[in-house]
Amino acid sequence: MAQLIVAGFHRSGTSLLTQLLHRAGLFVGDELLGANPSQPYGHFEDREVVTLHDRLLADNGLNWMVHRPLVPVIAPDRWGALQQYVTRRETAHRLWGFKDPRVCLILGVWKHLLPDAKVVVCYRDYAASTYSLERRHSREMLSGSGRAEVHRRFWEVPDLALSMWNEHNSGVLAFATAYPEDTLVVSFSQLAAGAPVVAAINRRWGLGLAPVDTYDVFDPAVTGQRDARQPVADPLVADRARELLTRLDVMAREHARELQGALRV
């Protein structure tokens, strides 16, 4: 049995990476979130995992827009629901995993449930991620889809998207620092350049995924970039984002040796 978790902030390339792993043979869910205009190929998120995470956050008085440090309190019945999910997956699948941006905030919880699980972190420059997130909610608000009060929060709460980026990436950095042998960090730019992620995962952890080329799933037409500088209300929030991005870049460069090694195999 083996488990592979894909972790990364919203709009950071995790759907692309999970689509790639799904094609390579990783089971990622019975019922996946469907496609929409911002994710034309689908989210590749297991509805059951998303629901479990949403309920766990709600228990702590939060929703998916976490932008402050979180130390989750988990009730016994919630632990039971998580364990039941794990038991069903372990019974049915030799190699399985899931992707959900919310997992960045609670990787320690999943480490307790799955001590041997491996985590692939996919990150993206904060300016690009937050631009993509804000653009998505602008479009949905203008089209009348979704909840207007959710969309408005990105303009009512100063630096909301950037603060969210900070908290999610702080979570993955803490996990990657504590469990370096169980973590592979890859940047969105590496994915876009065709980095052989599947081969690197097989080389590092021997999961036996089928060989699939990254370019088989990457579509540059669905990728947006911020043309102007990142607007910021609180300079301290921006300082923290730059510091976190620097640390992620350092890890990605170190782990690039895995990608380079995979090319030589």
Side-chain angles (χ1 to χ4, degrees), residues 189-216:
S189 60
Q190 288 172 322
L191 282 179
V197 178
V198 173
I201 289 171
N202 282 337
R203 185 172 187 264
R204 184 165 194 179
W205 293 315
L207 298 187
L209 293 163
V212 179
D213 191 283
T214 304
Y215 281 132
D216 288 349

PDB file of all heavy atoms in Angstrom, residues 189-216:
ATOM      1  N   SER A 189       6.504  26.667 -12.502  1.00  0.00           N
ATOM      2  CA  SER A 189       7.346  26.944 -13.671  1.00  0.00           C
ATOM      3  C   SER A 189       8.089  25.689 -14.120  1.00  0.00           C
ATOM      4  O   SER A 189       8.307  25.485 -15.320  1.00  0.00           O
ATOM      5  CB  SER A 189       8.329  28.078 -13.368  1.00  0.00           C
ATOM      6  OG  SER A 189       9.180  27.741 -12.284  1.00  0.00           O
ATOM      7  N   GLN A 190       8.490  24.821 -13.175  1.00  0.00           N
ATOM      8  CA  GLN A 190       9.119  23.556 -13.547  1.00  0.00           C
ATOM      9  C   GLN A 190       8.135  22.658 -14.288  1.00  0.00           C
ATOM     10  O   GLN A 190       8.482  22.020 -15.284  1.00  0.00           O
ATOM     11  CB  GLN A 190       9.662  22.849 -12.309  1.00  0.00           C
ATOM     12  CG  GLN A 190      10.907  23.499 -11.719  1.00  0.00           C
ATOM     13  CD  GLN A 190      11.307  22.887 -10.392  1.00  0.00           C
ATOM     14  OE1 GLN A 190      10.447  22.544  -9.573  1.00  0.00           O
ATOM     15  NE2 GLN A 190      12.603  22.731 -10.178  1.00  0.00           N
ATOM     16  N   LEU A 191       6.897  22.602 -13.799  1.00  0.00           N
ATOM     17  CA  LEU A 191       5.876  21.834 -14.502  1.00  0.00           C
ATOM     18  C   LEU A 191       5.664  22.364 -15.913  1.00  0.00           C
ATOM     19  O   LEU A 191       5.592  21.598 -16.872  1.00  0.00           O
ATOM     20  CB  LEU A 191       4.548  21.885 -13.742  1.00  0.00           C
ATOM     21  CG  LEU A 191       4.373  20.997 -12.517  1.00  0.00           C
ATOM     22  CD1 LEU A 191       3.004  21.234 -11.911  1.00  0.00           C
ATOM     23  CD2 LEU A 191       4.546  19.536 -12.875  1.00  0.00           C
ATOM     24  N   ALA A 192       5.554  23.695 -16.023  1.00  0.00           N
ATOM     25  CA  ALA A 192       5.319  24.314 -17.329  1.00  0.00           C
ATOM     26  C   ALA A 192       6.476  24.052 -18.291  1.00  0.00           C
ATOM     27  O   ALA A 192       6.286  24.052 -19.512  1.00  0.00           O
ATOM     28  CB  ALA A 192       5.098  25.811 -17.163  1.00  0.00           C
ATOM     29  N   ALA A 193       7.668  23.839 -17.741  1.00  0.00           N
ATOM     30  CA  ALA A 193       8.841  23.543 -18.573  1.00  0.00           C
ATOM     31  C   ALA A 193       8.963  22.052 -18.889  1.00  0.00           C
ATOM     32  O   ALA A 193       9.947  21.632 -19.505  1.00  0.00           O
ATOM     33  CB  ALA A 193      10.101  24.039 -17.876  1.00  0.00           C
ATOM     34  N   GLY A 194       7.984  21.261 -18.449  1.00  0.00           N
ATOM     35  CA  GLY A 194       7.989  19.837 -18.781  1.00  0.00           C
ATOM     36  C   GLY A 194       8.779  18.961 -17.847  1.00  0.00           C
ATOM     37  O   GLY A 194       9.200  17.861 -18.225  1.00  0.00           O
ATOM     38  N   ALA A 195       8.995  19.396 -16.611  1.00  0.00           N
ATOM     39  CA  ALA A 195       9.775  18.595 -15.660  1.00  0.00           C
ATOM     40  C   ALA A 195       9.193  17.185 -15.537  1.00  0.00           C
ATOM     41  O   ALA A 195       7.968  17.023 -15.416  1.00  0.00           O
ATOM     42  CB  ALA A 195       9.788  19.269 -14.293  1.00  0.00           C
ATOM     43  N   PRO A 196      10.021  16.141 -15.553  1.00  0.00           N
ATOM     44  CA  PRO A 196       9.550  14.752 -15.507  1.00  0.00           C
ATOM     45  C   PRO A 196       9.145  14.342 -14.089  1.00  0.00           C
ATOM     46  O   PRO A 196       9.809  13.519 -13.441  1.00  0.00           O
ATOM     47  CB  PRO A 196      10.761  13.964 -16.008  1.00  0.00           C
ATOM     48  CG  PRO A 196      11.934  14.777 -15.552  1.00  0.00           C
ATOM     49  CD  PRO A 196      11.499  16.221 -15.672  1.00  0.00           C
ATOM     50  N   VAL A 197       8.044  14.881 -13.617  1.00  0.00           N
ATOM     51  CA  VAL A 197       7.649  14.688 -12.223  1.00  0.00           C
ATOM     52  C   VAL A 197       7.324  13.228 -11.931  1.00  0.00           C
ATOM     53  O   VAL A 197       7.716  12.692 -10.882  1.00  0.00           O
ATOM     54  CB  VAL A 197       6.454  15.598 -11.879  1.00  0.00           C
ATOM     55  CG1 VAL A 197       6.015  15.370 -10.448  1.00  0.00           C
ATOM     56  CG2 VAL A 197       6.825  17.062 -12.083  1.00  0.00           C
ATOM     57  N   VAL A 198       6.593  12.578 -12.829  1.00  0.00           N
ATOM     58  CA  VAL A 198       6.231  11.179 -12.582  1.00  0.00           C
ATOM     59  C   VAL A 198       7.480  10.311 -12.459  1.00  0.00           C
ATOM     60  O   VAL A 198       7.595   9.494 -11.537  1.00  0.00           O
ATOM     61  CB  VAL A 198       5.306  10.653 -13.708  1.00  0.00           C
ATOM     62  CG1 VAL A 198       5.084   9.153 -13.540  1.00  0.00           C
ATOM     63  CG2 VAL A 198       3.974  11.390 -13.700  1.00  0.00           C
ATOM     64  N   ALA A 199       8.425  10.505 -13.354  1.00  0.00           N
ATOM     65  CA  ALA A 199       9.665   9.729 -13.294  1.00  0.00           C
ATOM     66  C   ALA A 199      10.433  10.021 -12.013  1.00  0.00           C
ATOM     67  O   ALA A 199      11.027   9.117 -11.401  1.00  0.00           O
ATOM     68  CB  ALA A 199      10.534  10.035 -14.516  1.00  0.00           C
ATOM     69  N   ALA A 200      10.431  11.285 -11.576  1.00  0.00           N
ATOM     70  CA  ALA A 200      11.139  11.647 -10.347  1.00  0.00           C
ATOM     71  C   ALA A 200      10.488  11.004  -9.125  1.00  0.00           C
ATOM     72  O   ALA A 200      11.173  10.541  -8.207  1.00  0.00           O
ATOM     73  CB  ALA A 200      11.171  13.162 -10.196  1.00  0.00           C
ATOM     74  N   ILE A 201       9.146  10.959  -9.114  1.00  0.00           N
ATOM     75  CA  ILE A 201       8.435  10.317  -8.001  1.00  0.00           C
ATOM     76  C   ILE A 201       8.766   8.829  -7.955  1.00  0.00           C
ATOM     77  O   ILE A 201       9.038   8.273  -6.883  1.00  0.00           O
ATOM     78  CB  ILE A 201       6.921  10.549  -8.152  1.00  0.00           C
ATOM     79  CG1 ILE A 201       6.580  12.023  -7.865  1.00  0.00           C
ATOM     80  CG2 ILE A 201       6.126   9.633  -7.220  1.00  0.00           C
ATOM     81  CD1 ILE A 201       5.158  12.400  -8.201  1.00  0.00           C
ATOM     82  N   ASN A 202       8.763   8.193  -9.109  1.00  0.00           N
ATOM     83  CA  ASN A 202       9.104   6.766  -9.145  1.00  0.00           C
ATOM     84  C   ASN A 202      10.534   6.524  -8.694  1.00  0.00           C
ATOM     85  O   ASN A 202      10.830   5.571  -7.962  1.00  0.00           O
ATOM     86  CB  ASN A 202       8.913   6.219 -10.562  1.00  0.00           C
ATOM     87  CG  ASN A 202       7.456   5.960 -10.901  1.00  0.00           C
ATOM     88  OD1 ASN A 202       6.626   5.776 -10.008  1.00  0.00           O
ATOM     89  ND2 ASN A 202       7.132   5.950 -12.183  1.00  0.00           N
ATOM     90  N   ARG A 203      11.427   7.395  -9.120  1.00  0.00           N
ATOM     91  CA  ARG A 203      12.841   7.236  -8.773  1.00  0.00           C
ATOM     92  C   ARG A 203      13.062   7.416  -7.274  1.00  0.00           C
ATOM     93  O   ARG A 203      13.850   6.693  -6.659  1.00  0.00           O
ATOM     94  CB  ARG A 203      13.675   8.248  -9.553  1.00  0.00           C
ATOM     95  CG  ARG A 203      15.190   8.120  -9.389  1.00  0.00           C
ATOM     96  CD  ARG A 203      15.897   9.052 -10.366  1.00  0.00           C
ATOM     97  NE  ARG A 203      17.323   8.847 -10.349  1.00  0.00           N
ATOM     98  CZ  ARG A 203      18.180   9.575  -9.618  1.00  0.00           C
ATOM     99  NH1 ARG A 203      17.728  10.543  -8.853  1.00  0.00           N
ATOM    100  NH2 ARG A 203      19.474   9.339  -9.648  1.00  0.00           N
ATOM    101  N   ARG A 204      12.335   8.353  -6.692  1.00  0.00           N
ATOM    102  CA  ARG A 204      12.544   8.645  -5.282  1.00  0.00           C
ATOM    103  C   ARG A 204      11.836   7.661  -4.355  1.00  0.00           C
ATOM    104  O   ARG A 204      12.398   7.235  -3.335  1.00  0.00           O
ATOM    105  CB  ARG A 204      12.051  10.056  -4.976  1.00  0.00           C
ATOM    106  CG  ARG A 204      12.323  10.489  -3.546  1.00  0.00           C
ATOM    107  CD  ARG A 204      12.159  11.977  -3.366  1.00  0.00           C
ATOM    108  NE  ARG A 204      12.735  12.404  -2.106  1.00  0.00           N
ATOM    109  CZ  ARG A 204      12.755  13.658  -1.687  1.00  0.00           C
ATOM    110  NH1 ARG A 204      12.267  14.604  -2.449  1.00  0.00           N
ATOM    111  NH2 ARG A 204      13.291  13.968  -0.531  1.00  0.00           N
ATOM    112  N   TRP A 205      10.606   7.276  -4.731  1.00  0.00           N
ATOM    113  CA  TRP A 205       9.800   6.488  -3.800  1.00  0.00           C
ATOM    114  C   TRP A 205       9.390   5.128  -4.354  1.00  0.00           C
ATOM    115  O   TRP A 205       8.752   4.352  -3.635  1.00  0.00           O
ATOM    116  CB  TRP A 205       8.552   7.275  -3.395  1.00  0.00           C
ATOM    117  CG  TRP A 205       8.864   8.495  -2.583  1.00  0.00           C
ATOM    118  CD1 TRP A 205       9.737   8.579  -1.545  1.00  0.00           C
ATOM    119  CD2 TRP A 205       8.296   9.796  -2.734  1.00  0.00           C
ATOM    120  NE1 TRP A 205       9.751   9.856  -1.025  1.00  0.00           N
ATOM    121  CE2 TRP A 205       8.862  10.632  -1.746  1.00  0.00           C
ATOM    122  CE3 TRP A 205       7.349  10.352  -3.590  1.00  0.00           C
ATOM    123  CZ2 TRP A 205       8.534  11.968  -1.608  1.00  0.00           C
ATOM    124  CZ3 TRP A 205       7.010  11.695  -3.465  1.00  0.00           C
ATOM    125  CH2 TRP A 205       7.602  12.496  -2.473  1.00  0.00           C
ATOM    126  N   GLY A 206       9.715   4.831  -5.603  1.00  0.00           N
ATOM    127  CA  GLY A 206       9.413   3.526  -6.176  1.00  0.00           C
ATOM    128  C   GLY A 206       7.943   3.176  -6.190  1.00  0.00           C
ATOM    129  O   GLY A 206       7.575   2.033  -5.879  1.00  0.00           O
ATOM    130  N   LEU A 207       7.090   4.121  -6.579  1.00  0.00           N
ATOM    131  CA  LEU A 207       5.648   3.888  -6.532  1.00  0.00           C
ATOM    132  C   LEU A 207       5.117   3.125  -7.735  1.00  0.00           C
ATOM    133  O   LEU A 207       3.973   2.675  -7.724  1.00  0.00           O
ATOM    134  CB  LEU A 207       4.901   5.224  -6.396  1.00  0.00           C
ATOM    135  CG  LEU A 207       5.189   6.027  -5.119  1.00  0.00           C
ATOM    136  CD1 LEU A 207       4.271   7.226  -5.032  1.00  0.00           C
ATOM    137  CD2 LEU A 207       5.043   5.161  -3.881  1.00  0.00           C
ATOM    138  N   GLY A 208       5.905   3.012  -8.793  1.00  0.00           N
ATOM    139  CA  GLY A 208       5.470   2.239  -9.948  1.00  0.00           C
ATOM    140  C   GLY A 208       4.408   2.905 -10.791  1.00  0.00           C
ATOM    141  O   GLY A 208       3.593   2.223 -11.430  1.00  0.00           O
ATOM    142  N   LEU A 209       4.398   4.229 -10.822  1.00  0.00           N
ATOM    143  CA  LEU A 209       3.458   4.941 -11.687  1.00  0.00           C
ATOM    144  C   LEU A 209       3.825   4.721 -13.150  1.00  0.00           C
ATOM    145  O   LEU A 209       4.998   4.565 -13.491  1.00  0.00           O
ATOM    146  CB  LEU A 209       3.478   6.440 -11.373  1.00  0.00           C
ATOM    147  CG  LEU A 209       2.929   6.841  -9.996  1.00  0.00           C
ATOM    148  CD1 LEU A 209       3.372   8.254  -9.653  1.00  0.00           C
ATOM    149  CD2 LEU A 209       1.411   6.739  -9.969  1.00  0.00           C
ATOM    150  N   ALA A 210       2.830   4.737 -14.013  1.00  0.00           N
ATOM    151  CA  ALA A 210       3.074   4.574 -15.442  1.00  0.00           C
ATOM    152  C   ALA A 210       3.771   5.810 -15.997  1.00  0.00           C
ATOM    153  O   ALA A 210       3.505   6.939 -15.543  1.00  0.00           O
ATOM    154  CB  ALA A 210       1.762   4.341 -16.180  1.00  0.00           C
ATOM    155  N   PRO A 211       4.663   5.656 -16.982  1.00  0.00           N
ATOM    156  CA  PRO A 211       5.357   6.830 -17.535  1.00  0.00           C
ATOM    157  C   PRO A 211       4.406   7.718 -18.336  1.00  0.00           C
ATOM    158  O   PRO A 211       3.816   7.280 -19.326  1.00  0.00           O
ATOM    159  CB  PRO A 211       6.422   6.191 -18.441  1.00  0.00           C
ATOM    160  CG  PRO A 211       5.877   4.845 -18.788  1.00  0.00           C
ATOM    161  CD  PRO A 211       5.097   4.394 -17.598  1.00  0.00           C
ATOM    162  N   VAL A 212       4.235   8.935 -17.878  1.00  0.00           N
ATOM    163  CA  VAL A 212       3.400   9.919 -18.563  1.00  0.00           C
ATOM    164  C   VAL A 212       4.195  11.209 -18.657  1.00  0.00           C
ATOM    165  O   VAL A 212       4.758  11.674 -17.653  1.00  0.00           O
ATOM    166  CB  VAL A 212       2.072  10.175 -17.825  1.00  0.00           C
ATOM    167  CG1 VAL A 212       1.242  11.221 -18.560  1.00  0.00           C
ATOM    168  CG2 VAL A 212       1.281   8.882 -17.675  1.00  0.00           C
ATOM    169  N   ASP A 213       4.258  11.796 -19.829  1.00  0.00           N
ATOM    170  CA  ASP A 213       4.997  13.032 -20.041  1.00  0.00           C
ATOM    171  C   ASP A 213       4.185  14.216 -19.533  1.00  0.00           C
ATOM    172  O   ASP A 213       2.976  14.305 -19.747  1.00  0.00           O
ATOM    173  CB  ASP A 213       5.297  13.208 -21.537  1.00  0.00           C
ATOM    174  CG  ASP A 213       6.296  14.329 -21.786  1.00  0.00           C
ATOM    175  OD1 ASP A 213       5.885  15.510 -21.713  1.00  0.00           O
ATOM    176  OD2 ASP A 213       7.471  14.030 -22.046  1.00  0.00           O
ATOM    177  N   THR A 214       4.847  15.148 -18.847  1.00  0.00           N
ATOM    178  CA  THR A 214       4.160  16.319 -18.298  1.00  0.00           C
ATOM    179  C   THR A 214       3.451  17.107 -19.383  1.00  0.00           C
ATOM    180  O   THR A 214       2.342  17.625 -19.174  1.00  0.00           O
ATOM    181  CB  THR A 214       5.160  17.214 -17.543  1.00  0.00           C
ATOM    182  OG1 THR A 214       5.826  16.439 -16.537  1.00  0.00           O
ATOM    183  CG2 THR A 214       4.453  18.388 -16.888  1.00  0.00           C
ATOM    184  N   TYR A 215       4.039  17.206 -20.560  1.00  0.00           N
ATOM    185  CA  TYR A 215       3.423  17.967 -21.640  1.00  0.00           C
ATOM    186  C   TYR A 215       2.141  17.321 -22.155  1.00  0.00           C
ATOM    187  O   TYR A 215       1.380  17.953 -22.895  1.00  0.00           O
ATOM    188  CB  TYR A 215       4.413  18.157 -22.794  1.00  0.00           C
ATOM    189  CG  TYR A 215       5.426  19.252 -22.544  1.00  0.00           C
ATOM    190  CD1 TYR A 215       6.781  19.037 -22.772  1.00  0.00           C
ATOM    191  CD2 TYR A 215       5.028  20.499 -22.079  1.00  0.00           C
ATOM    192  CE1 TYR A 215       7.719  20.041 -22.544  1.00  0.00           C
ATOM    193  CE2 TYR A 215       5.953  21.504 -21.837  1.00  0.00           C
ATOM    194  CZ  TYR A 215       7.293  21.278 -22.078  1.00  0.00           C
ATOM    195  OH  TYR A 215       8.213  22.261 -21.854  1.00  0.00           O
ATOM    196  N   ASP A 216       1.890  16.064 -21.778  1.00  0.00           N
ATOM    197  CA  ASP A 216       0.646  15.419 -22.191  1.00  0.00           C
ATOM    198  C   ASP A 216      -0.575  16.098 -21.587  1.00  0.00           C
ATOM    199  O   ASP A 216      -1.685  15.971 -22.113  1.00  0.00           O
ATOM    200  CB  ASP A 216       0.648  13.941 -21.797  1.00  0.00           C
ATOM    201  CG  ASP A 216       1.590  13.105 -22.641  1.00  0.00           C
ATOM    202  OD1 ASP A 216       2.087  13.625 -23.662  1.00  0.00           O
ATOM    203  OD2 ASP A 216       1.840  11.940 -22.278  1.00  0.00           O
TER     204      ASP A 216
END
